[in-house]
Amino acid sequence: MQHRGRAVVFENIEDYHDRVDDPNLDIDETCVMVLKCVGPVGYPGMPEVGNMTLPKNYWLKA
């Protein structure tokens, strides 16, 4: 898989929850969201990745 464009990076799940619905979050349909420190070898595995929702301001633009 490849992506060319901006990535919005969240340091951890708490950072994601703190910023995902911030109206000033600079994100659009060309961006990818990256959650650091999770994955098959990260803690706690990958359960929250399936629970990542799109930012509210994305839905308001659509």
Side-chain angles (χ1 to χ4, degrees):
M1 295 175 56
Q2 295 182 1
H3 173 75
R4 291 179 190 247
R6 290 187 313 112
V8 177
V9 180
F10 301 97
E11 295 298 318
N12 52 43
I13 195 67
E14 291 81 14
D15 182 37
Y16 164 79
H17 287 299
D18 289 344
R19 296 191 304 132
V20 70
D21 290 325
D22 182 342
N24 296 317
L25 183 65
D26 186 18
I27 193 168
D28 62 27
E29 66 277 358
T30 66
C31 299
V32 293
M33 297 191 311
V34 176
L35 181 56
K36 286 182 167 183
C37 301
V38 295
V41 294
Y43 174 80
M46 292 175 55
E48 63 277 310
V49 176
N51 296 328
M52 287 180 70
T53 60
L54 294 174
K56 287 182 183 175
N57 64 349
Y58 174 80
W59 290 110
L60 295 175
K61 293 177 189 176

